[in-house]
Amino acid sequence: MRRKRRGPEEGEFQDPLKNYALDYDDELERSLTEDRIGDLQIEPFTTIHPDTTIEQTMVKMVELDIGCVLVVDDQRLLGIFSERDVLLKVADRFAEMKDTPVRDVMTPEPSYVHRPDGPAKALNLMAVSGFRHVPILNVDDKVVGVLGPRRITAYLKNHFEN
Amino acid sequence: MGLSQDILTDQISVLDLGQVVTVKPGATLSRTIELMREHRVGCVVIVDDDNRPIGKFTERLLIRFLVKTCKNTSASNPSGDSETGDAEMPDPISSQALSSSGVLGGGQILDDPVEKHMYRHCTCLRTTDPIAKVIECMEAEKLRYVIVLDEDGHPVGITGFSGLMRYVADHFPRQVKVQEPATKLYLDEREGA
């Protein structure tokens, strides 16, 4: 005989999430799970046009004391130029390369995250892929910020203090 | 317990310590830069005859050096820069030291000893120090690299942001390590039939 399925009692609603209580060991775990990258400090950020020369780009990096610049055209991310690019591609030939457009030495099509993504996604790129700077795009794929070592360190320290 | 507690008890020795590349103070700038490129490191530690750190040369300093030689001006200390204090800024390059074109590449400056251009202040921690100290140093002094010493005061590794990120990822593998690669949020075309 086929067993009759027993449904909920009349008037009784069984919330399927009732017994699913998220239990976090600490505030950082909660933040990685529930917060959005837009909640972190992602500005200011510096962008340059791809035709900017290497020298002009590096002067800007020194003036602003930053480790990278985002190479954009009409707010579209084309690449990233960082201190590591200077070391590996420019340092030994700076005299002959300083007037070269930065598009020739930048890291093209860098990995990025979107503003609605969780902080864990940015940390994934930094921890697993080894990137120090992660550009942030909005839903229209326009650059709206960047995350780097200082901001992530401040983010971690905030949660540890809390 | 959570990560907040673990960083107070876990020692720096549990972090992935990066390779420490060392040179003597008399090593040339060109050799130092060559080592950085060869080992793909952002920091070289200058050690004395007893193998104790007396300074460091970093990518940030390299960029400033290149820009400075190009502009043929004295060194300036930008506000907010915590890699150096006023007392530790390298000596400005004299006009006599510049090549005729005024830019790097003439060979003269590259032959300078690295001690003439290094940061003289280098924050060092011990392998037995808690990880919380790394975060404290990085945040307070805005450092990217922290030199790690053994019990005898000799450098055994470099840590900083990269090591810290891997440590956090190991603590939260379900949140950090399991992530999709960056993809478009919205598809340009409909999927399926």
Side-chain angles (χ1 to χ4, degrees):
Chain A
M1 188 162 79
R2 196 175 172 183
R3 205 169 75 170
K4 203 173 178 180
R5 186 191 291 184
R6 206 167 68 109
E9 301 290 338
E10 189 176 326
E12 178 189 337
F13 170 67
Q14 291 184 345
D15 184 354
L17 297 179
K18 185 181 175 184
N19 295 324
Y20 183 67
L22 290 172
D23 190 19
Y24 300 110
D25 282 339
D26 59 30
E27 169 61 19
L28 179 59
E29 188 181 2
R30 184 212 62 77
S31 175
L32 288 173
T33 308
E34 298 183 358
D35 286 349
R36 296 289 161 255
I37 283 176
D39 299 331
L40 279 62
Q41 185 195 354
I42 60 175
E43 292 178 343
F45 61 97
T46 303
T47 61
I48 53 164
H49 193 270
D51 293 331
T52 309
T53 65
I54 293 173
E55 182 188 356
Q56 289 168 333
T57 306
M58 287 169 60
V59 166
K60 201 163 193 177
M61 290 170 71
V62 169
E63 283 173 358
L64 298 175
D65 189 30
I66 53 178
C68 84
V69 292
L70 305 181
V71 184
V72 302
D73 190 2
D74 192 24
Q75 291 186 286
R76 298 285 174 186
L77 181 67
L78 300 179
I80 190 168
F81 182 72
S82 70
E83 295 169 326
R84 188 54 57 97
D85 292 312
V86 172
L87 174 67
L88 296 179
K89 302 173 189 174
V90 174
D92 59 337
R93 296 184 295 151
F94 182 63
E96 58 190 78
M97 292 186 72
K98 64 188 184 72
D99 294 322
T100 306
V102 73
R103 72 162 78 236
D104 292 350
V105 292
M106 68 183 184
T107 300
E109 298 180 356
S111 296
Y112 57 87
V113 294
H114 288 99
R115 187 155 46 184
D117 290 333
K121 195 160 187 178
L123 263 64
N124 171 272
L125 289 174
M126 292 171 171
V128 178
S129 303
F131 301 127
R132 278 189 285 199
H133 296 92
V134 177
I136 316 295
L137 310 186
N138 66 5
V139 296
D140 296 321
D141 284 341
K142 294 192 175 174
V143 177
V144 293
V146 70
L147 279 175
R150 287 185 199 171
R151 289 172 183 169
I152 292 292
T153 307
Y155 164 72
L156 293 176
K157 191 158 185 287
N158 272 344
H159 285 87
F160 292 146
E161 282 172 351
N162 291 340
Chain B
M1 286 283 270
L3 187 59
S4 309
Q5 196 61 34
D6 289 344
I7 59 165
L8 296 173
T9 54
D10 286 349
Q11 294 179 346
I12 289 175
S13 53
V14 307
L15 294 176
D16 284 336
L17 297 182
Q19 175 192 16
V20 60
V21 177
T22 60
V23 294
K24 287 286 164 46
T28 62
L29 209 48
S30 64
R31 177 62 184 151
T32 304
I33 296 170
E34 187 187 322
L35 284 171
M36 290 173 77
R37 289 158 55 86
E38 183 183 316
H39 295 279
R40 299 179 83 91
V41 294
C43 175
V44 168
V45 180
I46 293 89
V47 295
D48 60 16
D49 292 335
D50 295 325
N51 197 28
R52 292 178 200 284
I54 59 172
K56 64 184 179 187
F57 188 83
T58 65
E59 288 169 324
R60 186 67 58 98
L61 192 50
L62 172 63
I63 293 179
R64 290 201 190 130
F65 176 79
L66 293 173
V67 167
K68 195 165 56 176
T69 56
C70 206
K71 281 183 165 184
N72 191 15
T73 55
S74 297
S76 61
N77 192 16
S79 61
D81 168 31
S82 307
E83 282 272 31
T84 67
D86 289 333
E88 288 89 17
M89 273 303 289
D91 296 330
I93 297 173
S94 68
S95 56
Q96 289 177 347
L98 293 172
S99 64
S100 57
S101 64
V103 298
L104 194 66
Q108 273 184 297
I109 302 171
L110 289 177
D111 291 336
D112 275 357
V114 68
E115 66 176 332
K116 191 177 170 184
H117 303 286
M118 66 184 185
Y119 289 122
R120 298 189 185 280
H121 172 72
C122 46
T123 300
C124 301
L125 296 174
R126 304 269 170 178
T127 51
T128 50
D129 286 331
I131 293 175
K133 272 203 163 181
V134 175
I135 299 172
E136 197 180 305
C137 288
M138 286 176 60
E139 216 268 334
E141 300 178 50
K142 293 192 173 61
L143 298 177
R144 186 169 292 174
Y145 305 103
V146 176
I147 302 165
V148 181
L149 309 177
D150 61 13
E151 293 165 355
D152 299 321
H154 301 140
V156 292
I158 292 259
T159 190
F161 184 67
S162 302
L164 194 59
M165 286 299 97
R166 284 192 286 272
Y167 177 75
V168 172
D170 286 341
H171 265 73
F172 303 114
R174 286 189 304 168
Q175 288 84 0
V176 178
K177 289 190 174 180
V178 182
Q179 289 285 343
E180 292 177 9
T183 56
K184 286 179 73 73
L185 285 179
Y186 303 108
L187 299 175
D188 290 327
E189 297 173 356
R190 289 175 58 183
E191 279 189 321

